Amino acid sequence: MRSAARSFLALFVAVFVLMATQRAGAWSESGHHLVALLAFDELTPEEQQKLLAILAAHPRYAEDFTPPEKIKNADRFRVGTAGYWPDIARKLPEYNRPSWHYQLGATLTLGEPSEYQVPKTPGELPTDATLETQDLHIAQAIELSRRIFNDQAAPPADRAIALCWLGHLVGDAHQPCHAGSLYAARLFPEGDRGANSIPTRQKNNMHALWDGLLGGRYSEGTLDRRVKEIAAPEFAVAGNAAMAAENPLEPLVWLAESRSAAVDHAYTHEVLGPVKATMEEGGELPEIYFSEAYLKQAGKLAQLRAVAAGKRLAAIWREGTR
């Protein structure tokens, strides 16, 4: 699987060359809206209406999906919000599922293995898992949500919630820092929490920096522009490649791609240099200041991962609208 992921990412590197003039724009509020809208635009008008009808049964539809007065396209706002909603739910104990957003395991390890502890890879989805089950991780949660979303006999509210989790988690699985952690002897014996523990001068920590590569807060005009930009021919090449990959709708494939992307483009020498020095010398890891070259490449990769996520999410949402 790792070999296939690297082959797929090799295409991304080729696409970088075509994107030299493209703006680096990604998985905060704006990023999740973007992935959801890219998927929505792949659906037929009939499929779009069915998706919106399923979403309308959401138990917090009035509270969380009513667009502000200034919004011009209410349907697109609602679909984008569906992709972002699990982050809204972080403030709602009834719906918050913290561990669903990431995968356990090592993206990268440094130093003597006896000096760090990598948790076991999450197993198969428990047979009794429901939308109320807390102790799941991203691949398991996607399988559960997909099962419920596709079950037309399931309660409409459950299908609507599952729709939102799919819109969100497919995006998260394509973000390199959600796929695993760096485990380093003495420095990160329990992992760097998906790069949350790596301080940076930009965005406070490395995870937050990557989360924000597709934009920050929601803006309808900015988002419309980004959707159009990312529809350029060179992005279409990456989207088609994502669907041509082996098992393109398997979350473990997406996570393997994301870990490979993290090794090649996130945990570069700009990160590993200070990490290794701190491991040897002790003390606290200093704030990392990323170069313009790092940020530019990271931004391009974020856009490509968003395209792949959008294509794959469209195929999964389409299943539930049949």
Side-chain angles (χ1 to χ4, degrees):
M1 187 175 294
R2 179 59 63 86
S3 177
R6 288 193 175 280
S7 296
F8 177 59
L9 288 165
L11 173 67
F12 280 8
V13 174
V15 174
F16 284 164
V17 177
L18 297 173
M19 295 173 60
T21 62
Q22 286 291 328
R23 171 182 174 178
W27 301 286
S28 57
E29 182 178 11
S30 179
H32 280 295
H33 271 261
L34 176 61
V35 170
L37 289 175
L38 289 173
F40 189 66
D41 288 344
E42 292 283 330
L43 303 180
T44 66
E46 181 181 4
E47 290 167 342
Q48 290 178 345
Q49 290 307 308
K50 288 182 178 179
L51 191 80
L52 289 165
I54 295 170
L55 181 61
H58 198 288
R60 290 189 55 86
Y61 191 74
E63 297 93 333
D64 298 336
F65 295 87
T66 300
E69 291 184 5
K70 64 180 180 179
I71 296 298
K72 297 178 181 178
N73 192 314
D75 285 346
R76 292 181 73 79
F77 172 82
R78 291 187 178 105
V79 170
T81 300
Y84 180 59
W85 184 80
D87 277 345
I88 296 175
R90 290 180 185 274
K91 297 181 180 180
L92 305 170
E94 181 180 357
Y95 300 106
N96 186 26
R97 308 286 181 265
S99 67
W100 286 26
H101 296 259
Y102 62 91
Q103 187 76 345
L104 291 175
T107 291
L108 193 63
T109 59
L110 297 174
E112 174 57 44
S114 63
E115 297 184 26
Y116 52 78
Q117 298 179 343
V118 179
K120 293 181 179 179
T121 301
E124 295 183 359
L125 177 69
T127 56
D128 60 348
T130 70
L131 289 173
E132 285 71 48
T133 302
Q134 286 283 349
D135 192 20
L136 299 178
H137 289 86
I138 194 166
Q140 299 167 319
I142 290 173
E143 180 182 346
L144 172 67
S145 299
R146 193 172 175 182
R147 179 186 303 171
I148 295 170
F149 181 60
N150 290 341
D151 182 3
Q152 297 193 18
D158 286 358
R159 292 188 73 203
I161 291 172
L163 182 160
C164 294
W165 275 108
L166 288 170
H168 189 86
L169 296 180
V170 174
D172 275 353
H174 285 75
Q175 205 273 53
C177 295
H178 280 258
S181 296
L182 164 65
Y183 289 79
R186 297 183 299 283
L187 183 59
F188 298 128
E190 297 181 355
D192 70 351
R193 299 170 51 248
N196 275 289
S197 298
I198 296 182
T200 64
R201 291 178 61 187
Q202 299 112 322
K203 294 288 185 180
N204 298 320
N205 64 70
M206 182 173 151
H207 185 107
L209 184 146
W210 276 84
D211 265 350
L213 289 171
L214 296 176
R217 301 294 297 174
Y218 171 82
S219 165
E220 186 176 34
T222 300
L223 196 59
D224 286 346
R225 185 180 71 249
R226 284 192 172 127
V227 169
K228 291 177 181 178
E229 287 177 350
I230 213 166
E234 54 265 34
F235 287 106
V237 171
N240 292 335
M243 293 306 295
E246 186 176 357
N247 298 321
L249 301 186
E250 168 54 60
L252 294 178
V253 170
W254 314 337
L255 292 165
E257 293 169 0
S258 289
R259 287 183 177 180
S260 292
V263 170
D264 295 339
H265 303 289
Y267 292 102
T268 68
H269 68 279
E270 294 190 25
V271 177
L272 296 186
V275 165
K276 291 177 180 178
T278 304
M279 289 171 63
E280 294 176 0
E281 300 169 7
E284 294 186 359
L285 183 66
E287 283 188 335
I288 294 172
Y289 183 82
F290 288 113
S291 67
E292 182 178 350
Y294 179 100
L295 296 174
K296 183 176 181 179
Q297 187 176 64
K300 290 174 181 177
L301 179 62
Q303 290 174 311
L304 291 165
R305 294 301 282 158
V307 170
K311 280 281 189 178
R312 289 161 169 171
L313 175 59
I316 289 174
W317 270 351
R318 185 176 291 115
E319 292 176 342
T321 62
R322 290 172 181 167

